[in-house]
């Protein structure tokens, strides 16, 4: 049975996209409950200046808490080398640095052009290597940009190669703006893998902004992708990509993967119960997903037992 890693990004991508700051103890309950449901990797926050994202001000404390959970891989987002050092100091298992394929988005999001970002990647990679943390680069806006429009695939391939040369240990393709379609996913995954090697491109970070999220997951599966980011309740988006809200719903993704006979290691019934923690901590905040309302199919347990 093929194992697929579902990486929960809600505590970072989800919470940075809403105005309210979630209580620290509620965040801890959320992470502990997801880990107990079988989620093996959680992005617990990001090491950005608190004045820019006060929702992420407690990330170091979240890392310390999550590191005490057996079997959980604790990762965080870092915007630059300074963030990488803070992540290492906090004790993360891994970190991901976003590298926007749209230069317009890169300047808006991290205030650096592509050449400057390659320098940051190189410096952050060295810090991660010295600190014993896994270092991944997320190729953001790889499928299109709400600020710039279409992003040339040749450019994505070229920048992917530069990221690897600068020290990335792993790459992910990110549909930051919810522009991707299944044919595009298949095509771009093949092209990037051909350029950097199959083992280097393992992850897709997809949004469901236009309802194509799970269709794009299937396209990624067909091309050998083994890790998919998702957010509980579909919380999340990019504050610098207008209209790009809507991460893939973790509950729906797990239902689909388990039903397809793939191994996620996640107990869907337990995962569905985690939603109540977020609802209680963020009353009135919209949460999404079909599975929490409809429930699993009557023959769900037979499907996952195949």
């Amino acid at each position: 049975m093929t194992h697929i890693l579902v990486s929960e990004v809600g505590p970072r991508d989800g919470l940075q996209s809403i105005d309210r700051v979630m209580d620290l103890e509620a965040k801890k309950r959320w992470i502990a409950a997801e880990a107990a449901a079988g989620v093996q990797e959680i992005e617990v926050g990001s090491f950005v200046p608190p004045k820019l994202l006060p929702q992420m001000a407690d990330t170091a404390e979240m890392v310390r808490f999550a590191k005490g959970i057996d079997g959980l891989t604790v990762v965080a987002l870092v915007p630059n080398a300074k963030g990488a050092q803070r992540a290492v100091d906090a004790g993360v298992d891994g970190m991901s640095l976003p590298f926007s394929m749209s230069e317009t988005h890169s300047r808006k999001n991290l205030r650096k052009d592509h050449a400057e970002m390659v320098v940051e990647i190189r410096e952050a990679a060295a810090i991660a290597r010295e600190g014993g943390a896994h270092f991944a680069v997320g190729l953001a806006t790889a499928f299109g940009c709400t600020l710039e429009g279409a992003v040339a695939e040749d450019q994505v391939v070229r920048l992917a190669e530069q990221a690897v040369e600068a020290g990335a240990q792993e790459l992910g393709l990110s549909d930051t703006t919810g522009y991707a379609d299944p044919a595009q996913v298949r095509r771009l995954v093949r092209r990037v893998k051909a350029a950097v090697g199959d083992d280097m491109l393992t992850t897709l970070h997809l949004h469901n902004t236009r309802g194509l999220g799970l269709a794009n997951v299937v396209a990624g599966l067909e091309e050998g992708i083994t890790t998919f980011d998702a957010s509980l309740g579909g919380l999340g988006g990019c504050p610098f990509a207008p209209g790009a809200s809507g991460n893939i719903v973790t509950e729906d993704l797990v239902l689909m993967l388990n039903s397809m006979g793939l191994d996620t290691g996640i107990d869907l019934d337990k995962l569905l119960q985690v939603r109540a923690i977020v609802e209680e901590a963020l009353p009135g905040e919209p949460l999404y997903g079909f599975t929490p309302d409809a429930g699993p199919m009557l023959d769900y347990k037979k499907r996952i037992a195949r």
Side-chain angles (χ1 to χ4, degrees):
M1 184 182 294
T2 302
H3 179 70
I4 302 298
L5 177 64
V6 174
S7 182
E8 173 63 56
V9 300
R12 192 278 301 176
D13 201 358
L15 296 184
Q16 77 171 20
S17 302
I18 62 176
D19 293 331
R20 285 182 286 178
V21 177
M22 190 173 185
D23 178 74
L24 175 62
E25 293 306 313
K27 288 185 185 181
K28 290 179 179 179
R29 290 197 299 274
W30 177 3
I31 288 172
E34 279 215 29
V39 174
Q40 298 165 357
E41 179 175 288
I42 301 179
E43 188 177 52
V44 300
S46 61
F47 287 94
V48 298
K51 66 180 180 180
L52 295 179
L53 281 176
Q55 303 94 321
M56 299 290 105
D58 55 10
T59 296
E61 175 59 30
M62 290 303 303
V63 171
R64 285 190 287 271
F65 170 77
K67 286 285 288 181
I69 300 175
D70 289 342
L72 181 65
T73 299
V74 181
V75 298
L77 180 139
V78 301
N80 49 35
K82 288 183 179 179
Q85 187 60 61
R86 291 177 60 200
V88 165
D89 291 343
V92 298
D93 296 311
M95 65 184 80
S96 177
L97 190 151
F99 183 20
S100 296
M101 303 293 92
S102 157
E103 197 154 43
T104 304
H105 183 266
S106 184
R107 290 180 182 276
K108 185 74 172 178
N109 190 35
L110 295 178
R111 301 177 184 175
K112 289 182 172 63
D113 62 21
H114 284 156
E116 292 170 320
M117 282 304 303
V118 171
V119 173
E120 287 291 340
I121 290 170
R122 194 178 306 280
E123 293 178 358
I127 291 168
R129 186 167 56 248
E130 180 69 21
H134 185 73
F135 181 68
V137 170
L139 305 177
T141 65
F143 299 95
C145 175
T146 52
L147 302 173
E148 193 172 292
V151 175
E153 291 182 5
D154 287 347
Q155 178 164 294
V156 176
V157 172
R158 174 175 56 82
L159 294 174
E161 291 173 326
Q162 290 183 21
V164 172
E165 189 278 329
Q169 294 175 286
E170 180 183 358
L171 297 178
L173 288 173
S174 298
D175 185 21
T176 314
T177 58
Y179 271 30
D181 64 67
Q184 188 184 20
V185 169
R186 292 188 187 95
R187 190 171 60 245
L188 194 54
V189 168
R190 288 175 187 172
R191 290 201 59 186
V192 174
K193 281 190 171 188
V196 301
D198 287 358
D199 294 341
M200 286 298 299
L201 178 60
T202 59
T203 302
L204 286 180
H205 177 101
L206 300 166
H207 285 204
N208 196 44
T209 313
R210 293 167 178 83
L212 296 175
L214 292 183
N216 291 332
V217 169
V218 174
L221 289 169
E222 291 172 349
E223 297 302 325
I225 295 295
T226 55
T227 299
F228 295 91
D229 293 348
S231 178
L232 192 86
L235 283 172
C238 175
F240 297 107
S245 61
N247 281 286
I248 288 178
V249 177
T250 306
E251 301 95 305
D252 291 345
L253 176 62
V254 170
L255 172 77
M256 184 185 79
L257 294 174
N258 286 354
S259 296
M260 291 172 68
L262 299 167
D263 171 33
T264 65
I266 299 172
D267 184 313
L268 180 62
D269 290 336
K270 291 181 179 179
L271 180 67
L272 290 171
Q273 295 171 18
V274 181
R275 194 178 176 99
I277 297 172
V278 179
E279 290 175 329
E280 180 182 354
L282 300 171
E285 191 67 38
L287 296 179
Y288 304 95
F290 294 100
T291 304
D293 291 333
M297 311 80 155
L298 286 177
D299 64 344
Y300 171 73
K301 293 189 183 299
K302 290 182 179 179
R303 295 186 184 202
I304 65 175
R306 289 181 302 200

